[in-house]
Amino acid sequence: MAKWGGFLIFMLLAATFAWWGTGAIPPQYNPWAPLTLDDPPTLVTRYKLRGLESQPQRCFALLETARARGMIGWRHQPDGGGECPLHDRVRVANFGAIALSGPFLASCPLALRSVMFWHQRGAKLAGQLQGSALTRIDHIGSYACRNIYHRSEGRRSEHASADVLDVRGFRFADGQRINILKDWPEDGLRGVLLRELFYQGCPYFGNSLGPEFNAAHADHFHLGVNGFGLCR
């Protein structure tokens, strides 16, 4: 509780100083301004993204705007029961011009965080470093009704609520492919590209776990909703 209180005080002070200096608070630093798809991932933006987890109508309105702008293809997923019940989930088909190896199930906050990263930073960064447009993201899924690390006991994985996507590689317009398991350790361009994508993506997600976290993540990026910017 004290942590969040301190953070709110920080935001208020930052906004006040910005207003004194310019007469206007940039929306990415203004805690009262509604979140937009173009807001960079400042601490205030990340706080707003966290807030959307309890504001499904606002989240879906932003996701609808993203679809209207051609940034994402998605449709509502029927609610499901069972051991891992799902409500207000979507099935993501693409990130606009960026195809996917297959549609994936996602919470609205996961879909929104993903589309903001790939359209604000990820696709541009990949194209610049690789010298060719990013055309497809290969993944190994988002939803699985299981506990963390497939343990028989313990807390549920983010996969049990479709709050995380595991990305394993990328494809480009010139036919090149990059695989996280094979290319992450490289010192050359491919390794640089993967590390840049991972670390620049961290501020958009609640938690990002990569090949250096542990052996279970050696072949993919785990990009999840929970948390406030964990990057390992």
Side-chain angles (χ1 to χ4, degrees):
M1 193 72 175
K3 176 182 175 182
W4 285 111
F7 180 68
L8 288 172
I9 292 172
F10 166 80
M11 289 199 304
L12 290 171
L13 288 173
T16 301
F17 284 126
W19 182 80
W20 278 344
T22 65
I25 305 171
Q28 64 266 32
Y29 297 107
N30 185 347
W32 300 282
L35 178 71
T36 77
L37 295 169
D38 302 310
D39 289 347
T42 64
L43 287 174
V44 174
T45 299
R46 290 155 65 184
Y47 176 77
K48 293 176 186 176
L49 283 167
R50 278 293 300 270
L52 290 181
E53 295 172 31
S54 60
Q55 302 174 42
Q57 290 184 331
R58 177 59 182 155
C59 186
F60 278 109
L62 284 166
L63 210 56
E64 186 61 53
T65 299
R67 177 162 57 186
R69 290 173 55 177
M71 300 167 69
I72 187 173
W74 64 274
R75 60 181 173 83
H76 283 282
Q77 177 74 14
D79 290 349
E83 293 185 19
C84 300
L86 296 177
H87 304 284
D88 293 328
R89 267 33 182 183
V90 300
R91 189 165 293 278
V92 178
N94 57 65
F95 292 125
I98 307 171
L100 296 166
S101 55
F104 70 91
L105 199 61
S107 64
C108 183
L110 174 63
L112 187 63
R113 288 170 182 266
S114 298
V115 77
M116 288 177 69
F117 169 60
W118 290 111
H119 282 276
Q120 285 187 20
R121 189 171 298 180
K124 182 178 180 181
L125 174 65
Q128 287 176 339
L129 291 177
Q130 195 64 18
S132 181
L134 176 65
T135 56
R136 188 171 117 166
I137 298 170
D138 293 331
H139 67 84
I140 50 179
S142 58
Y143 174 70
C145 184
R146 62 174 175 83
N147 294 338
I148 188 170
Y149 296 121
H150 298 274
R151 292 169 180 160
S152 59
E153 297 181 353
R155 64 183 175 88
R156 288 294 194 187
S157 164
E158 281 185 293
H159 287 285
S161 53
D163 275 322
V164 60
L165 179 66
D166 288 344
V167 173
R168 68 176 179 181
F170 306 95
R171 304 191 188 196
F172 296 83
D174 61 3
Q176 295 184 77
R177 298 185 183 185
I178 295 182
N179 177 274
I180 292 171
L181 178 63
K182 182 181 72 173
D183 297 318
W184 176 272
E186 285 194 6
D187 292 328
L189 181 61
R190 292 183 172 216
V192 171
L193 170 59
L194 288 175
R195 289 186 286 275
E196 283 294 309
L197 281 175
F198 178 73
Y199 290 115
Q200 293 205 32
C202 288
Y204 290 87
F205 296 94
N207 69 92
S208 302
L209 306 178
E212 295 181 7
F213 180 58
N214 61 17
H217 295 83
D219 63 348
H220 66 276
F221 297 161
H222 168 115
L223 305 175
V225 168
N226 297 333
F228 196 77
L230 175 68
C231 184
R232 298 179 64 184

